Amino acid sequence: MTQYLEFEKPLAEIEGKAEELRALARANEEMDVADEAAALDAKAEQLLKDLYSDLTPWRKCQVARHPERPHCRDYIDALFTEYTPLAGDRNFADDLAVMGGLARFNDQPVMVIGHEKGSDTKSRIAHNFGMARPEGYRKAVRLMEMAGRFGLPVVTIVDTTGAYPGKGAEERGQSEAIARSTEMSLKIGVPVISVIIGEGGSGGAVAFASANRVAMLEHAVYSVISPEGCASILWKDAEKMREAAEALRLTAQNLQELAVIDRIIPEPMGGAHRDAKTTMASVGVAIQEMLDELKDKDGADLIKDRRQKFLDIGSKGLAA
Amino acid sequence: MNWITNYVRPRINSIFSRREVPENLWHKCDECGTMLFHRELSDNQNVCTNCDHHMHITPRDRFTALFDGGVFNEVAVPEPIADPLKFKDQKKYPDRMKAAQKKTDEKEAMLVAAGEIGRTPIVAAAQDFSFMGGSMGMYVGNAIIAAAEEAVKLGRPLVLFSAAGGARMQEGILSLMQMPRTTVAVQMLKEAGLPYIVVLTHPTTGGVTASYAMLGDVHISEPNALICFAGPRVIEQTIREKLPEGFQRAEYLLDHGMLDRVISRTEMRDELIKIIRMMMQLPPQIVGDLPAPEEGEEAANAPVDAAASEEAAQ
């Protein structure tokens, strides 16, 4: 049973009707609804196409946050083998908002690190809705440093609303932890590859996305602030999130134009959550291609290229 | 009213308005409410002489107080492209920029300079909170990179005074990209073996704290400065409880191990000189008057050491 987003309501109605019709037919064998149901299906498909062919930035935010969208855990299960989670920052705790460890990607040993939001109430609470505390970033620093020493490429999976704004997180140095994670990503002499699969929320995301190659799913978003946060500051009205989402240029398409990301991975019609398997397979292909692009570079070149890439960002703006 | 107020007073005012009289001779301390004479206040670097409250100071005034004899050379910052996102909220971004430039008489939210403090050569960068909340956009990123490159080129330490509400929303993702960009700048300094000292001033928050402001070799803060990633209001809304007294203030961060020192602005210069000279393996600063130069030595030194002789002359 799909959870429908607000703008998908007309779609929910049609798909609901088709479902009802089929249920009726199951109860009453004499009824023939095949034609009618097929007509509704066709109508639904067309509507889905219409809705998703030109999503507004705010609608993309909603799709990017869809609760049934595949999360980090799903990608690790689908694309990696021998995943061996490594836990803890060796200092205070293990933050479950960040998962990571050794794994094989198409047989190549790598270090995989990502934000995990959780998929039901219980796991969402356990993973703190994907909002990491300093321990999460420090775990990532530890794993990246290790990957650098053992020559393992780092693959990060970015999906977070942002770093957790809590009392303890601040007391234990949230800012410093994020800064160190960005610093380590820029320092290691191995390929660093990021895929933004849902929300790329501000500093909490950039800490994992300071990479040689950054890919983004078609309907993912990546922004300095949430549209709601931006609206409440600049419009003094959180309800202006549609306008803010528009102004922030947070879509994959805009970000590619700005050279902030390197590639867009297409999603199945109706978003990643409607066909998780296909989505994850496309992400797998993209990761392999990005790794291949970097495989002939030595450590010093990888570091140099990564830094230069970020130093160069901002040299082109959007066309008016 | 009468002809005196309507006619004579404006005439007299217009005659005398050419005289440079500051509009506000008196400034009220935001904290204790004491009325402070503007001259006394600026002599004290905008620190209240009654309650020691640290008020805002512009980068230019700070540098004038910091560098020997108030002499410094501005370091040029590469100009980024203007309004890359064509950003518009209730106002257009270029209009907000113009308003900020008019208000501060500065081009952007960061000033970079090279000069000497206690005859110790340094490069310094200071963020201007009065310019759009000191927000970090592409210019600020470029300024920090330029500061680091200048420091590496001259083999000098970098002292950075941070003050910002965070990233500049009007530059969207490009402001966020200043976090990795400025981190690269810090790495240049570290690889060149040069000290990087951050002086965190009120307020330093958001993406600024989560990048270059927390990557220093030494972190010093001015008293009572607000330093945080997420602001207190956001946290209170998230956790729905009252935050403790002094939460996210400099002294609180010192207690929690995020800072090395909390130092008053009026003592900051000596503190920086002392720390830098040790880190750079230089002898201690000479305090007090220097011995009179030998006959003929002064003339030989004059062209090379213009800044120092100017200081001696004052």
Side-chain angles (χ1 to χ4, degrees), chain A residues 70-92:
Chain A
H71 290 156
C72 183
R73 165 102 257 169
D74 305 313
Y75 285 90
I76 291 180
D77 289 347
L79 302 176
F80 296 80
T81 51
E82 294 186 18
Y83 173 58
T84 310
L86 300 175
D89 68 345
R90 298 294 185 269
N91 188 28
F92 184 77

Side-chain angles (χ1 to χ4, degrees), chain B residues 222-236:
Chain B
E222 291 185 346
N224 203 36
L226 176 73
I227 301 160
C228 59
F229 179 66
R233 212 164 33 129
V234 176
I235 296 174
E236 274 183 340

Side-chain angles (χ1 to χ4, degrees), chain A residues 220-246:
Chain A
V221 294
Y222 187 15
S223 178
V224 66
I225 186 169
S226 71
E228 295 94 326
C230 179
S232 73
I233 298 171
L234 290 182
W235 277 264
K236 314 260 180 281
D237 178 4
E239 291 299 308
K240 296 278 189 219
M241 65 269 184
R242 285 172 193 78
E243 287 86 341
E246 194 82 42

Side-chain angles (χ1 to χ4, degrees), chain B residues 111-276:
Chain B
L111 190 66
V112 184
E116 296 192 341
I117 60 170
R119 306 214 167 171
T120 318
I122 66 159
V123 174
Q127 215 158 355
D128 190 349
F129 188 69
S130 60
F131 194 106
M132 291 184 79
S135 53
M136 168 181 68
M138 293 192 292
Y139 187 93
V140 168
N142 284 358
I144 293 168
I145 293 165
E149 285 173 345
E150 187 75 3
V152 171
K153 191 179 93 190
L154 301 172
R156 298 182 181 189
L158 175 63
V159 180
L160 186 139
F161 298 85
S162 67
R168 187 170 294 170
M169 278 176 285
Q170 291 86 350
E171 292 183 15
I173 194 78
L174 295 176
S175 65
L176 189 68
M177 291 299 116
Q178 304 316 311
M179 293 172 65
R181 289 184 90 228
T182 56
T183 304
V184 172
V186 175
Q187 287 176 334
M188 293 175 191
L189 291 164
K190 294 200 172 165
E191 277 159 20
L194 295 165
Y196 171 48
I197 295 170
V198 187
V199 179
L200 297 100
T201 77
H202 179 76
T204 299
T205 71
V208 168
T209 327
S211 55
Y212 57 86
M214 272 289 152
L215 293 173
D217 296 308
V218 179
H219 293 167
I220 310 176
S221 173
E222 291 185 346
N224 203 36
L226 176 73
I227 301 160
C228 59
F229 179 66
R233 212 164 33 129
V234 176
I235 296 174
E236 274 183 340
Q237 282 165 1
T238 309
I239 64 171
R240 293 173 207 286
E241 55 180 279
K242 203 101 188 79
L243 294 167
E245 177 90 16
F247 183 64
Q248 298 180 320
R249 295 291 171 165
E251 295 73 10
Y252 198 89
L253 267 83
L254 185 68
D255 280 350
H256 285 82
M258 295 300 141
L259 302 175
D260 294 290
R261 321 264 295 147
V262 177
I263 302 286
S264 171
R265 188 180 294 158
T266 50
E267 290 155 26
M268 192 67 76
R269 185 177 178 272
D270 286 342
E271 182 77 11
L272 290 170
I273 294 168
K274 187 179 73 184
I275 291 172
I276 290 170

Side-chain angles (χ1 to χ4, degrees), chain B residues 69-148:
Chain B
V71 177
F72 58 89
N73 292 318
E74 259 184 79
V75 174
V77 175
E79 201 77 35
I81 46 173
D83 194 17
L85 305 186
K86 314 279 178 271
F87 193 96
K88 187 171 180 287
D89 52 276
Q90 288 170 307
K91 277 186 197 161
K92 282 184 184 164
Y93 178 36
D95 295 342
R96 284 192 191 268
M97 277 294 282
K98 267 178 226 150
Q101 284 166 342
K102 201 172 160 198
K103 178 181 145 200
T104 57
D105 215 9
E106 292 288 351
K107 192 161 66 176
E108 253 280 6
M110 187 167 265
L111 190 66
V112 184
E116 296 192 341
I117 60 170
R119 306 214 167 171
T120 318
I122 66 159
V123 174
Q127 215 158 355
D128 190 349
F129 188 69
S130 60
F131 194 106
M132 291 184 79
S135 53
M136 168 181 68
M138 293 192 292
Y139 187 93
V140 168
N142 284 358
I144 293 168
I145 293 165

Side-chain angles (χ1 to χ4, degrees), chain A residues 31-150:
Chain A
M31 266 176 84
D32 183 16
V33 296
D35 289 352
E36 254 181 280
L40 282 172
D41 283 347
K43 205 173 153 190
E45 205 186 308
Q46 187 55 43
L47 185 62
L48 188 70
K49 229 176 184 167
D50 291 347
L51 283 173
Y52 275 82
S53 64
D54 190 21
L55 285 177
T56 63
W58 172 242
R59 285 181 175 178
K60 279 193 188 266
C61 293
Q62 291 170 282
V63 176
R65 296 171 186 172
H66 198 292
E68 286 160 0
R69 207 173 161 81
H71 290 156
C72 183
R73 165 102 257 169
D74 305 313
Y75 285 90
I76 291 180
D77 289 347
L79 302 176
F80 296 80
T81 51
E82 294 186 18
Y83 173 58
T84 310
L86 300 175
D89 68 345
R90 298 294 185 269
N91 188 28
F92 184 77
D94 184 40
D95 183 354
L96 297 181
V98 173
M99 55 190 298
L102 293 161
R104 285 182 190 273
F105 179 78
N106 295 340
D107 291 337
Q108 146 111 68
V110 299
M111 191 68 85
V112 58
I113 303 167
H115 303 99
E116 174 54 44
K117 287 183 168 180
S119 50
D120 53 39
T121 309
K122 201 177 152 206
S123 64
R124 280 187 194 115
I125 292 169
H127 292 290
N128 199 32
F129 302 87
M131 293 186 285
R133 297 181 167 91
E135 298 74 56
Y137 296 108
R138 289 181 182 136
K139 172 163 75 181
V141 168
R142 189 170 76 80
L143 301 191
M144 286 191 278
E145 191 274 335
M146 194 166 28
R149 272 189 295 127
F150 295 102

